Amino acid sequence: MSNLSDAIAGRRFAITAEITPPLSADPADLLSKASVLKGHVDAANVTDGASARAHMSSVVAAGLLLQNGIEPVLQFTCRDRNRIALQSDLLGGAALGIENLLILRGDDPSAGDQPEAKPVFDYESRDLMECARQMRDDGILPSGREIKSRPKLFIGGADTPMDPADERWKPDGLLAKIDAGAGFFQTQFCFDVDMVRNYAAGLVDHGISERAGVLIGIGPLTSARSARWMRENLWGTTIPDALIDRLDAAEDAKAEGTAICAELIAAYAGIDGIAGVHLMAPLGVDAIPLAIEQSGVRA
């Protein structure tokens, strides 16, 4: 079992973080960025063409992390490859010893720096989850071809926390992804403790938290301006006004943002139905270990 799957199965609060591979062919550029996470997180996500922009291959980047003692979560998007390439990369990642997958649809190329790129979307995310589950559990491709050595895969998906009282929240999508093979979920940014508490109650009521671990997305905010931008431009992001006011009033906004992140890690660790946190810091991962240490929660 991977560290991440072991933590979730053992009901130990899991901590993951996220790395965007560099636009570089030098492994040192990736490893210098990721090294601060070693020993602090159960696993580190490696994004796959984040924001519809080219970076170092996520499969290669995840393999490099694993070789250097950092367990990866390999992100797979459906945007850039057809099913043949996706199935081949699933086998390639497993051959390197990579077990954790986060399967996503992927941003449309029009959002990136090469908007003329052609999207593929041969699979939707749930289709790819089902394909990965079939490869793992049945040892065959959807075509019926037998796989000589089955890949060991811990399959994940994405979600957006909502209050179950909101009519937009439906458990059906999460349950369908679990049926397709998902064993964990990482969510969009949610800095609202009350919303997470209500969301978790919905997960428990529908039996979701018993079947898959849900990790809430948060991170060390750097300024009130950045927090406002995230709330307005990153779909699904929830940041209460009170936290933005704290950042506005702080003498050192970056330190205050790290303190807020630490408080939320500790708060979420005490909520039944929440399996962990997923820490994202697009402007730099250096504050992530500090937030974990300040929280008093150990990965």
Side-chain angles (χ1 to χ4, degrees):
M1 297 177 71
S2 67
N3 289 334
L4 180 57
S5 61
D6 186 48
I8 290 173
R11 304 292 178 183
R12 177 172 61 80
F13 195 75
I15 299 179
T16 59
E18 188 165 285
I19 291 289
T20 299
L23 185 61
S24 171
D26 188 345
D29 291 331
L30 170 75
L31 297 174
S32 62
K33 191 176 184 181
S35 61
V36 297
L37 300 175
K38 190 172 183 178
H40 292 280
V41 300
D42 290 294
N45 283 42
V46 178
T47 61
D48 183 16
S51 301
R53 296 161 72 95
H55 302 90
M56 182 187 292
S57 158
S58 59
V59 176
V60 171
L64 289 169
L65 291 190
L66 190 62
Q67 290 172 9
N68 285 272
I70 302 171
E71 178 171 302
V73 177
L74 173 57
Q75 292 192 2
F76 266 85
T77 69
C78 301
R79 178 191 57 231
D80 304 320
R81 290 160 285 190
N82 67 14
R83 66 191 65 193
I84 297 170
L86 287 166
Q87 292 160 9
S88 298
D89 282 348
L90 283 171
L91 291 173
L96 294 173
I98 300 162
E99 296 185 16
N100 305 315
L101 303 176
L102 182 72
I103 293 176
L104 304 166
R105 187 174 191 272
D107 300 317
D108 191 277
S110 62
D113 60 346
Q114 300 182 73
E116 68 277 10
K118 294 181 179 179
V120 180
F121 296 121
D122 190 21
Y123 273 157
E124 291 298 322
S125 59
R126 197 182 304 170
D127 300 324
L128 183 53
M129 287 178 188
E130 176 60 34
C131 176
R133 185 210 59 76
Q134 186 178 40
M135 292 170 68
R136 178 193 68 194
D137 295 347
D138 303 331
I140 58 172
L141 295 177
S143 66
R145 290 175 60 205
E146 185 174 350
I147 298 170
K148 185 174 182 180
S149 180
R150 300 181 187 186
K152 296 179 181 179
L153 302 173
F154 187 45
I155 301 166
D159 195 41
T160 300
M162 288 186 182
D163 189 325
D166 188 325
E167 63 181 15
R168 295 175 300 168
W169 189 80
K170 307 288 184 186
D172 303 358
L174 282 172
L175 290 168
K177 287 180 179 179
I178 292 171
D179 289 341
F184 73 98
F185 294 94
Q186 294 170 324
T187 79
Q188 302 281 41
F189 286 110
C190 187
F191 292 78
D192 188 326
V193 176
D194 290 336
M195 179 179 286
V196 169
R197 190 174 288 113
N198 292 337
Y199 171 68
L203 298 176
V204 172
D205 288 346
H206 289 277
I208 292 167
S209 58
E210 287 297 316
R211 299 178 62 193
V214 177
L215 284 69
I216 303 296
I218 52 174
L221 299 166
T222 57
S223 68
R225 179 181 178 183
S226 175
R228 290 190 185 96
W229 185 92
M230 290 168 59
R231 190 168 66 176
E232 293 169 5
N233 294 279
L234 299 181
W235 184 87
T237 294
T238 302
I239 306 175
D241 287 338
L243 295 187
I244 295 178
D245 291 342
R246 277 182 61 178
L247 292 167
D248 255 332
E251 291 186 10
D252 185 338
K254 188 173 182 180
E256 189 72 11
T258 300
I260 289 170
C261 184
E263 292 168 15
L264 291 173
I265 294 171
Y268 293 166
I271 297 177
D272 185 36
I274 300 304
V277 290
H278 178 53
L279 304 175
M280 296 171 279
L283 298 180
V285 298
D286 291 355
I288 286 178
L290 182 58
I292 295 170
E293 291 170 2
Q294 288 181 11
S295 75
V297 177
R298 293 290 180 265

